[in-house]
Amino acid sequence: LREKNIEAQESLIASRAIELNSQSELIEQDRQNLLSAWSNYQATMDESSQYQLVLTDLANKINSMPPANSVALLNQLAENGSDDLVIDVLLEMDSIAATEGRNSTTSYLLSLMDASVAARILEKYEARTNPRNNTVPSSPNDFPSYPETDNMLNDGIMDMGA
């Protein structure tokens, strides 16, 4: 009887040891995942802070340039498909001007830019700074749907021979 109790206890201890081992492995795996996530987060933050430093430097340089040179640089960035960078620079220029207690020159620079480029940039700029007035749908699903008029519109298109 005593041997059976001892064997039962040893069996229970062995099963608990296996259970603790698997839990330990899961904990170690979670720890490795957390370390990896933390490392990725730090890399992203380093990248973000580096981008912010470059952005601030670029905004300061554009602020100190003659307007014609500033506009030429902004037009070139926009032509190269860097609309987001142009918008980030303009927002940073606004931020710097507000911090220094002076009016921003971004509106003036936009008025000197190529009209079509300025319109595109300004539309995106407005959408980013005031999301409630976002007139640029990011997908077809962003358009409002009016079922009662959609059918009427579709019928009208069909009547036109489409």
Side-chain angles (χ1 to χ4, degrees):
L1 181 66
R2 192 168 188 196
E3 283 182 25
K4 283 187 178 185
N5 282 341
I6 291 174
E7 286 176 10
Q9 286 181 349
E10 285 176 350
S11 174
L12 182 63
I13 290 172
S15 67
R16 294 272 173 125
I18 292 171
E19 186 180 322
L20 288 175
N21 253 351
S22 70
Q23 285 181 353
S24 175
E25 289 172 5
L26 289 174
I27 289 171
E28 180 58 27
Q29 191 176 21
D30 286 346
R31 188 180 83 71
Q32 290 298 324
N33 289 340
L34 283 172
L35 287 173
S36 175
W38 178 251
S39 175
N40 290 340
Y41 172 76
Q42 285 181 318
T44 301
M45 291 307 293
D46 289 346
E47 217 174 88
S48 177
S49 63
Q50 184 65 30
Y51 180 74
Q52 186 61 43
L53 289 173
V54 169
L55 195 62
T56 301
D57 184 51
L58 187 57
N60 283 323
K61 287 179 179 176
I62 289 175
N63 265 333
S64 64
M65 294 172 129
N69 295 351
S70 297
V71 168
L73 178 61
L74 292 172
N75 275 328
Q76 183 181 3
L77 287 171
E79 286 172 14
N80 291 336
S82 298
D83 288 357
D84 287 330
L85 177 60
V86 171
I87 293 166
D88 287 343
V89 167
L90 294 174
L91 288 170
E92 184 64 20
M93 290 171 68
D94 286 345
S95 176
I96 291 168
T99 302
E100 294 175 356
R102 60 178 175 77
N103 290 332
S104 177
T105 59
T106 56
S107 297
Y108 178 64
L109 294 176
L110 281 165
S111 74
L112 297 177
M113 289 177 74
D114 176 70
S116 63
V117 172
R120 184 181 74 232
I121 296 293
L122 190 57
E123 188 173 14
K124 292 178 180 180
Y125 178 89
E126 282 294 318
R128 190 177 310 168
T129 58
N130 193 358
R132 291 187 180 168
N133 290 338
N134 188 352
T135 58
V136 183
S138 56
S139 77
N141 297 331
D142 290 346
F143 287 107
S145 178
Y146 305 102
E148 61 280 350
T149 56
D150 285 350
N151 291 334
M152 199 167 51
L153 179 63
N154 290 336
D155 292 344
I157 291 172
M158 293 310 253
D159 288 345
M160 294 170 37

